[in-house]
Amino acid sequence: MTMNSAIKLDGSASASVDNQTNKSSGFRLQINEFAWVWIGTAVLFAISAIVAPGTVTKGALLAMLPFAGILAIVATGMTVVIQQRGLDMSVPGMVSLAGIVAAEVGFATGSFLVAIVATLAMAVVVGIINGLLTARVNITPLIATLAVNALLIGGVRAITGNSPVAVPESIQAFAKQNFLGMPSSLWLAVMFVVIVALITKLSIIGRRFVAVGVNPRTATATGIMTLRYQVGAYVLSAICFALGGILLAGYIGNASHTAGNDYLLPAIAAVVIGGTPFTGGKGSVVASGVAALFMAQLAQLVLALGAGPAMQLLVQSMAILLAVTIRVLPSLMSGK
């Protein structure tokens, strides 16, 4: 997918007479709502090169990309939930618990594969709980997932005693390895984004998933098993959060009860900046992935300029507000 594919010229006549019509009546530029993040990311890197050139050197980018990849994976999970008119606030607990479980199981069994499978299986259970609480019990997603997050954090504290846990060398090697000069987390993020995007856009399952997000009642009336898709969204999000937690723990070399705290707001911000609305149905995991790169570079730029944690949160909030404001520009430019 390229930025050009999301930008189109809309003339007042057919393509065969565009050249003649444009001379007399002009044309209007329409920019797809998911294309703004590509433009904004390019502008951000251009600004970074001017005001803080150290943030766009090879070393700085290679240091930033692993975290961008982790955030992109987490944002992918958040996107599919928001497409189902939901919200998953269990990111901090899931990311933290995944790192802890992977570390503990890895040391207990001595097997990297068993540790990953056990952690992802635990994520599936958490996702099913979140999905059933919201879709079957009809608890507001914000309340349900916050409650589950509290339980997860409590579990992490009980296991660790509020102390960081070392991560097995096998998990560290997996998280830190490079392929073709790029970190593994980035390649995994690209894989997740591409697979989810293809399934959503090209498969029957994806079209039904979008239909459920647009209008669950109408989808039910047409014979679609809406509960299956609503719960499935939370299962996928939990798997994404867990994978992000494993990669984060492996990359930094330890897991703790606070590891996931820095991923909730940036994940939501990436979805919003990417253009996925909270009204359900329509969305783009590709745009969310690009927005994750935007957020990671923005954090690096703000840090390079000497801003503290409070200012970093303020900048993230301003980025969200700007993204929401800019979303109306295509309609204004098209005259609607």
Side-chain angles (χ1 to χ4, degrees):
M1 177 178 180
T2 63
M3 194 189 312
N4 291 334
S5 65
I7 302 177
K8 60 182 179 179
L9 299 179
D10 179 23
S12 59
S14 65
S16 60
V17 293
D18 273 347
N19 292 336
Q20 295 178 355
T21 305
N22 289 340
K23 292 180 181 179
S24 58
S25 60
F27 60 87
R28 292 175 296 184
L29 180 65
Q30 291 186 335
I31 302 180
N32 184 291
E33 59 191 309
F34 301 126
W36 285 107
V37 67
W38 295 88
I39 299 172
T41 302
V43 171
L44 175 63
F45 274 92
I47 293 175
S48 299
I50 296 172
V51 302
T55 63
V56 292
T57 62
K58 180 179 179 180
L61 291 176
L62 288 178
M64 176 270 290
L65 286 176
F67 298 101
I70 293 171
L71 180 57
I73 293 172
V74 174
T76 297
M78 187 66 74
T79 301
V80 296
V81 168
I82 290 177
Q83 283 186 270
Q84 290 299 312
R85 302 186 177 193
L87 186 65
D88 197 337
M89 303 293 288
S90 63
V91 173
M94 192 71 255
V95 170
S96 299
L97 183 60
I100 297 295
V101 170
E104 295 290 349
V105 175
F107 278 123
T109 63
S111 171
F112 167 78
L113 182 59
V114 171
I116 300 300
V117 171
T119 304
L120 296 183
M122 176 269 299
V124 170
V125 173
V126 173
I128 291 174
I129 293 173
N130 276 331
L132 291 177
L133 287 176
T134 57
R136 176 61 73 183
V137 186
N138 293 323
I139 300 177
T140 303
L142 177 67
I143 303 301
T145 55
L146 274 177
V148 171
N149 181 69
L151 290 174
L152 297 179
I153 292 296
V156 170
R157 291 178 181 274
I159 295 172
T160 65
N162 295 334
S163 299
V165 174
V167 176
E169 290 293 334
S170 58
I171 297 179
Q172 293 189 45
F174 170 71
K176 294 178 181 179
Q177 70 179 344
N178 288 347
F179 178 69
L180 298 179
M182 294 295 172
S184 59
S185 62
L186 183 63
W187 288 113
L188 283 172
V190 172
M191 181 186 71
F192 260 72
V193 167
V194 170
I195 290 175
V196 174
L198 290 176
I199 292 175
T200 304
K201 300 296 182 183
L202 302 179
S203 70
I204 294 176
I205 293 176
R207 288 192 289 271
R208 290 176 177 174
F209 175 84
V210 172
V212 173
V214 171
N215 193 321
R217 290 185 178 180
T218 301
T220 300
T222 61
I224 297 176
M225 304 286 288
T226 56
L227 182 64
R228 196 175 292 174
Y229 292 92
Q230 291 168 335
V231 174
Y234 282 95
V235 171
L236 179 57
S237 70
I239 290 174
C240 289
F241 302 162
L243 181 58
I246 294 171
L247 289 171
L248 178 64
Y251 191 77
I252 64 179
N254 64 74
S256 71
H257 64 283
T258 61
N261 292 350
D262 294 332
Y263 283 87
L264 177 58
L265 179 58
I268 296 175
V271 177
V272 174
I273 292 173
T276 297
F278 281 81
T279 51
K282 185 167 57 174
S284 173
V285 293
V286 174
S288 296
V290 176
L293 176 62
F294 176 94
M295 293 300 299
Q297 178 59 23
L298 180 64
Q300 184 159 269
L301 174 61
V302 173
L303 185 63
L305 294 177
M311 181 57 68
Q312 292 179 38
L313 289 174
L314 177 61
V315 171
Q316 290 178 356
S317 301
M318 290 176 62
I320 295 175
L321 292 175
L322 180 61
V324 173
T325 303
I326 249 178
R327 188 175 296 160
V328 303
L329 288 182
S331 297
L332 296 176
M333 296 174 70
S334 63
K336 296 179 180 180

